[in-house]
Amino acid sequence: MLALIFLITIIMTTYVKVLLLHIWLQWVNCDCYNPLSQLTIKITRPILDPFRRIFKYSGLWDIIALFIAYIISTISAPITLQLFRLEPIFFYFGLVILLKACGTLVFWVMMSRSLTGWVNYGNNAIDYVLIQLTEPLMIPIRRFISPVSGVDFSMMVVMMILYMLNFLGAEYIPGWINF
């Protein structure tokens, strides 16, 4: 039974991260014909299209994808805790799971850009998407900390901010460590 719960939890959290990536790609106006963008659209379309027919919304943020990610996070909370009933506290835990998923997604996208920067910088489609995703986070930091001798410290500062937010969440938000 634990293996099934683990598998369901992994599938749900991965799909939440894909939905958040979909929102992020839309926010930065990423190239829709990029293979990573196409994969994200194909994975999220079966769930999002029925809701888009019901709720008409066009804006900078895909609120429907965010709402579905929140619902999946809320459903995954009792499964993670191995409680098979829905209580009102799980709506709060769903928000905590969604916030942690955002931080995890930003961390891994930043880490992926860092690792691909060592191999080949900007020579393929994935590098281009990673640059499009991370530059809006790094540009405000570059205004304060300019590159020194060709070394850009803005990515390191973003990672330190993520770690600081994670520690603040662990200290001040109840349930942060459990999820």
Side-chain angles (χ1 to χ4, degrees):
M1 186 68 176
L2 288 176
L4 181 63
I5 291 172
F6 175 74
L7 182 65
I8 291 171
T9 304
I10 291 295
I11 290 170
M12 292 175 93
T13 55
T14 303
Y15 198 75
V16 165
K17 287 180 181 84
V18 170
L19 284 168
L20 291 173
L21 182 63
H22 176 85
I23 295 167
W24 195 2
L25 288 168
Q26 185 180 10
W27 176 60
V28 297
N29 291 326
C30 192
D31 181 21
C32 293
Y33 298 106
N34 191 293
L36 182 64
S37 300
Q38 287 292 317
L39 177 68
T40 305
I41 290 169
K42 285 181 182 179
I43 291 173
T44 57
R45 179 169 278 166
I47 300 294
L48 293 178
D49 281 349
F51 287 97
R52 286 193 177 134
R53 285 188 211 114
I54 298 169
F55 304 109
K56 304 292 182 192
Y57 177 78
S58 61
L60 182 63
W61 293 76
D62 194 354
I63 302 296
I64 296 168
L66 186 63
F67 177 72
I68 292 171
Y70 172 69
I71 294 299
I72 293 172
S73 298
T74 303
I75 292 170
S76 72
I79 293 172
T80 304
L81 295 174
Q82 299 175 6
L83 302 172
F84 299 106
R85 61 185 181 279
L86 193 61
E87 296 179 9
I89 191 72
F90 293 132
F91 292 106
Y92 166 74
F93 286 147
L95 185 63
V96 170
I97 291 170
L98 192 62
L99 287 173
K100 284 192 78 163
C102 288
T104 305
L105 181 65
V106 170
F107 175 80
W108 284 111
V109 168
M110 296 293 283
M111 190 63 73
S112 299
R113 179 175 175 191
S114 166
L115 294 175
T116 58
W118 291 348
V119 180
N120 55 356
Y121 187 73
N123 293 335
N124 60 25
I126 299 298
D127 287 342
Y128 184 65
V129 169
L130 292 175
I131 290 168
Q132 282 184 319
L133 288 173
T134 56
E135 281 302 311
L137 300 173
M138 294 169 45
I139 287 174
I141 294 169
R142 283 193 195 122
R143 290 183 189 143
F144 297 107
I145 303 171
S146 59
V148 178
S149 300
V151 179
D152 187 14
F153 291 105
S154 59
M155 187 174 301
M156 190 180 307
V157 172
V158 171
M159 298 291 255
M160 285 191 294
I161 290 171
L162 284 172
Y163 273 109
M164 182 187 69
L165 290 173
N166 193 28
F167 285 126
L168 287 174
E171 188 171 342
Y172 294 112
I173 298 176
W176 189 266
I177 296 173
N178 297 342
F179 298 103

